[in-house]
Amino acid sequence: MHDLPKLFNEYDEARQEGFIKVKGYKEQGKKIVGTFCTYTPKEIMEAAGAISVSLCGTSEEPIQDAERDLPRNLCPLIKSSYGFAITDKCPYFYFSDLIVGETTCDGKKKMYELLGEIKHVHVMQLPQNNKDEESLRLWKNEVIKLKERIESEFGVEITTEKLKEAIKVVNEERRAKEEFYELGKLCPPPMSGLEMQKVLYGSQFKMDIKENINNLRELTANIRKEYESGKRTISENAPRILVTGCPIGGASEKVIKAIEDNGGVVVCYENCGGVKATYTKVDESKDPIDAIAEKYLSIPCSVMSPNQDRLDLLSKVIDEYKIDGVVEVILQACHTYNVESYSIKRFITEKKNKPYISIETDYSQSDMGQIGTRIGTFLEMMP
Ligand code: BJ8
């Protein structure tokens, strides 16, 4: 038997362990690129031989410091990220040679202006419509500008061959992640949603992509083997929940905990930690820059308008994962997800005939009781 809890815990500790790794990479002369969003084309950094790492803050700890400069009624992800940056409490930020941001939501793009006072920052101008030709042209140009910035900043040349190689590796990482989270399609699922979340979140901090692929595949194979030998850890009567909305990690995992403490199980994450980031791949047969631009612009985040692709994706995963109910997690003051939640609710309840609840929260633990009560009532409605 494999020690699965131990393997899950390794992912839980990945963020902390990465601190030492990132220092090691720096000492070897590697360049570090800090990122904040799924729209960042990771292939460009990979092709430059640089390491990319997520700088999204997920804890309440630095928010008070951030509020000295930023308004209180701002998304906790933005405040936490900024707070870590100005207090030098995040080794990933500290070691970053360049920060790459995108003009996604208003809060983030204004925060990047302030980060620019302490670090080198490159902001990609993201169009807000991902269907018209003009937007794709603009975005392609932004991908080229990022490539040129990385080349001049780090004194490297990103050749077409290197880009093609990077596309293959990053696609493979997407596939490995997909093979892992698709275990959630099994009935009953072979792991809890909290365990799945630990792996999805932790794997962001496994900076060696090839090693990440191998670890994910090994974990998936071990889970499958135990399941096939008859081991079950989740009741087959547990309502199967889909989580959608803003990114989840650290403090916001309280919502997953509330779902599972009340008898449900999260079997799928449609957010940026899960399906949304990986369900499309970069087309390996096209010109690399064209293919990268197309893949990233197609991400169905609520910052796009209109955003029909998100509804299509939700519809697909609700069917494939045999979902009983949908929980949308909205971080406080996230206007795009908050406003879009009305269309999401209508779609889920009227077109897919599934129960839906939205939970608006921040990184504090003060609303845990209230979230537990609301989720408990929601789960009681399940058939
Ligand atoms: S692709 S979800 S990572 S923008 S920071 S929008 S929660 S108010 S994170 Fe995001 Fe990229 Fe989209 Fe994904 Fe709202 Fe907060 Fe803005 Fe946020």
Side-chain angles (χ1 to χ4, degrees):
M1 281 286 173
H2 308 280
D3 190 354
L4 289 182
K6 189 169 163 262
L7 290 177
F8 286 127
N9 276 337
E10 277 173 19
Y11 279 90
D12 208 17
E13 287 150 16
R15 186 173 177 272
Q16 300 283 341
E17 276 177 7
F19 293 164
I20 300 159
K21 277 200 186 148
V22 82
K23 186 168 176 278
Y25 284 131
K26 273 301 265 206
E27 283 162 4
Q28 291 164 25
K30 288 244 182 206
K31 298 295 181 190
I32 313 292
V33 179
T35 66
F36 285 96
C37 181
T38 311
Y39 284 107
T40 316
K42 196 173 167 179
E43 290 81 357
I44 305 284
M45 277 64 89
E46 180 64 14
I51 304 281
S52 41
V53 67
S54 166
L55 299 181
C56 288
T58 57
S59 109
E60 192 187 16
E61 192 200 330
I63 286 187
Q64 227 181 348
D65 292 304
E67 285 175 350
R68 280 203 292 270
D69 301 346
L70 299 175
R72 286 177 65 105
N73 66 339
L74 183 68
C75 160
L77 190 153
I78 303 173
K79 285 191 288 187
S80 178
S81 307
Y82 181 75
F84 274 124
I86 56 165
T87 54
D88 263 347
K89 279 184 187 151
C90 171
Y92 295 127
F93 184 86
Y94 178 81
F95 287 122
S96 288
D97 297 287
L98 179 70
I99 308 289
V100 177
E102 296 79 11
T103 52
T104 50
C105 62
D106 290 350
K108 260 192 192 168
K109 69 189 178 202
K110 300 309 286 182
M111 188 266 282
Y112 296 142
E113 293 174 13
L114 298 174
L115 286 189
E117 294 173 16
I118 32 180
K119 281 271 177 189
H120 291 189
V121 174
H122 179 88
V123 178
M124 301 177 78
Q125 301 294 321
L126 180 75
Q128 297 183 359
N129 175 306
N130 60 9
K131 292 292 172 216
D132 62 42
E133 280 300 307
E134 272 304 301
S135 299
L136 184 58
R137 241 194 318 274
L138 190 148
W139 183 239
K140 182 182 166 186
N141 211 26
E142 290 299 307
V143 174
I144 294 169
K145 274 159 60 184
L146 174 68
K147 173 181 163 290
E148 290 171 351
R149 173 78 190 258
I150 299 263
E151 286 178 323
S152 68
E153 191 91 24
F154 299 161
V156 293
E157 189 193 352
I158 301 177
T159 62
T160 304
E161 282 320 304
K162 281 185 187 162
L163 263 184
K164 284 188 173 169
E165 192 45 43
I167 287 173
K168 274 197 196 136
V169 178
V170 180
N171 271 345
E172 205 51 33
E173 189 183 38
R174 290 188 184 102
R175 281 187 209 104
K177 224 180 226 187
E178 215 169 37
E179 289 157 20
F180 165 73
Y181 66 63
E182 283 188 349
L183 291 168
K185 289 183 181 173
L186 295 167
C187 293
M191 65 190 132
S192 69
L194 214 46
E195 287 168 331
M196 188 190 282
Q197 167 66 18
K198 273 184 194 177
V199 175
L200 292 174
Y201 180 69
S203 67
Q204 289 179 50
F205 300 100
K206 304 245 175 185
M207 288 161 278
D208 180 327
I209 300 187
K210 288 187 181 150
E211 192 183 309
N212 194 23
I213 295 170
N214 291 338
N215 290 348
L216 281 168
R217 293 226 156 106
E218 197 186 328
L219 177 65
T220 306
N222 289 343
I223 296 172
R224 231 177 232 292
K225 217 179 275 169
E226 291 216 348
Y227 193 82
E228 280 161 9
S229 73
K231 191 173 172 203
R232 298 289 181 271
T233 50
I234 310 290
S235 157
E236 58 185 353
N237 299 321
R240 300 168 61 83
I241 301 300
L242 167 70
V243 166
T244 182
C246 297
I248 291 194
S252 48
E253 285 174 8
K254 62 188 168 185
V255 181
I256 311 168
K257 213 174 159 301
I259 295 168
E260 303 200 324
D261 284 351
N262 283 283
V265 59
V266 178
V267 294
C268 181
Y269 295 93
E270 178 270 342
N271 56 21
C272 269
V275 183
K276 193 207 283 178
T278 47
Y279 81 113
T280 54
K281 316 285 176 292
V282 178
D283 189 333
E284 294 176 23
S285 65
K286 286 190 174 171
D287 166 78
I289 295 286
D290 282 334
I292 289 172
E294 280 171 21
K295 147 63 203 175
Y296 282 89
L297 193 62
S298 75
I299 294 166
C301 173
S302 64
V303 296
M304 288 294 157
S305 176
N307 193 22
Q308 175 64 34
D309 290 352
R310 182 168 173 215
L311 300 183
D312 296 342
L313 178 59
L314 283 168
S315 177
K316 182 171 130 66
V317 290
I318 284 172
D319 297 341
E320 286 179 2
Y321 288 77
K322 301 187 181 66
I323 295 299
D324 296 311
V326 177
V327 175
E328 177 152 42
V329 180
I330 299 173
L331 293 176
Q332 260 165 28
C334 175
H335 300 320
T336 54
Y337 275 100
N338 224 340
V339 175
E340 197 167 274
S341 75
Y342 179 61
S343 331
I344 301 296
K345 180 183 180 180
R346 266 193 322 204
F347 179 75
I348 306 283
T349 55
E350 293 171 19
K351 295 273 189 289
K352 301 302 288 181
N353 293 317
K354 301 288 177 198
Y356 163 96
I357 188 173
S358 77
I359 302 285
E360 195 180 352
T361 188
D362 60 11
Y363 290 167
S364 74
Q365 298 301 306
S366 59
D367 57 357
M368 272 180 80
Q370 195 204 11
I371 292 174
T373 310
R374 289 190 62 212
I375 294 276
T377 313
F378 176 69
L379 288 171
E380 278 168 18
M381 290 158 49
M382 301 285 150

